[in-house]
Amino acid sequence: MGTAMTRDTLAQILDQALQDVTERTAGVRLNQGEHILGDDLCTVHITFDQGFDTSLTLCADTSLLARMARNSFHEEAVTPEDVEEFSKEYLNVLCGKVTGAIYRATQSDVHFGAPVFYHGRYEPEGQEAQFVLTYTDEHSEGAQLIHHQVPSGEGKADGTDRREQIR
């Protein structure tokens, strides 16, 4: 495994990747800032299963994800299944961009599992939020990208420390 990555560096990588992928795939420009998410939310969660023992959660207003899906599919209407499929693929593309940037910065191979979609807000069990990037768009719809990690001092069953190399 390569060198450690600071929290600020990872946050910058995530922010750049999210803004780029969102604009390219869905034609939506998101800006970082304070935003309170509404009550109608969807969450997509993905776990990094090699390289870093962390996960990412994208929690967004359902209306934002539906608009992004409509833009991406070039359709005037989308079904809830379309929103789910788009959201999972969107997070896959985002994580692909993130893993490439992490490799360039640390020479660490990072792999992630399959994304899982949830209606409402989802919080991964046994992990805590290391940081939250909050976004809003021109329609006052919002999203949060949350980086989770295993709390400091918790270990795997084999006794090794589960914290990744992000400080």
Side-chain angles (χ1 to χ4, degrees):
M1 186 174 297
T3 60
M5 176 178 292
T6 67
R7 175 182 154 167
D8 289 343
T9 299
L10 179 60
Q12 182 179 21
I13 286 171
L14 291 172
D15 177 54
Q16 288 175 345
L18 182 129
Q19 291 194 39
D20 181 56
V21 168
T22 304
E23 193 162 346
R24 288 178 188 259
T25 64
V28 173
R29 184 176 299 257
L30 295 176
N31 297 301
Q32 260 196 2
E34 296 301 314
H35 181 78
I36 298 173
L37 297 179
D39 293 330
D40 186 11
L41 302 173
C42 293
T43 304
V44 190
H45 179 77
I46 200 162
T47 300
F48 288 85
D49 52 17
Q50 180 181 328
F52 292 99
D53 194 11
T54 66
S55 65
L56 287 177
T57 301
L58 176 72
C59 186
D61 290 318
T62 302
S63 57
L64 173 61
L65 292 174
R67 186 162 46 87
M68 290 170 61
R70 286 191 306 271
N71 290 352
S72 179
F73 297 157
H74 306 287
E75 299 286 338
E76 290 195 28
V78 291
T79 66
E81 292 80 15
D82 292 334
V83 172
E84 178 176 344
E85 192 60 36
F86 167 79
S87 299
K88 291 191 295 189
E89 186 57 30
Y90 169 80
L91 194 57
N92 261 333
V93 172
L94 176 65
C95 287
K97 190 161 186 77
V98 168
T99 58
I102 289 172
Y103 182 80
R104 286 187 298 279
T106 67
Q107 301 303 303
S108 295
D109 285 326
V110 180
H111 298 272
F112 52 91
V116 181
F117 182 86
Y118 300 91
H119 291 282
R121 183 178 288 277
Y122 170 77
E123 301 279 337
E125 191 173 313
Q127 294 190 353
E128 62 186 24
Q130 184 186 28
F131 58 84
V132 178
L133 302 176
T134 302
Y135 298 90
T136 190
D137 71 353
E138 68 276 9
H139 299 282
S140 296
E141 297 169 323
Q144 292 180 328
L145 186 62
I146 307 159
H147 178 258
H148 296 277
Q149 67 180 18
V150 175
S152 180
E154 291 192 17
K156 293 183 179 178
D158 66 4
T160 59
D161 191 351
R162 293 181 63 182
R163 289 175 293 153
E164 78 299 328
Q165 290 184 306
I166 299 171
R167 0 179 202 113

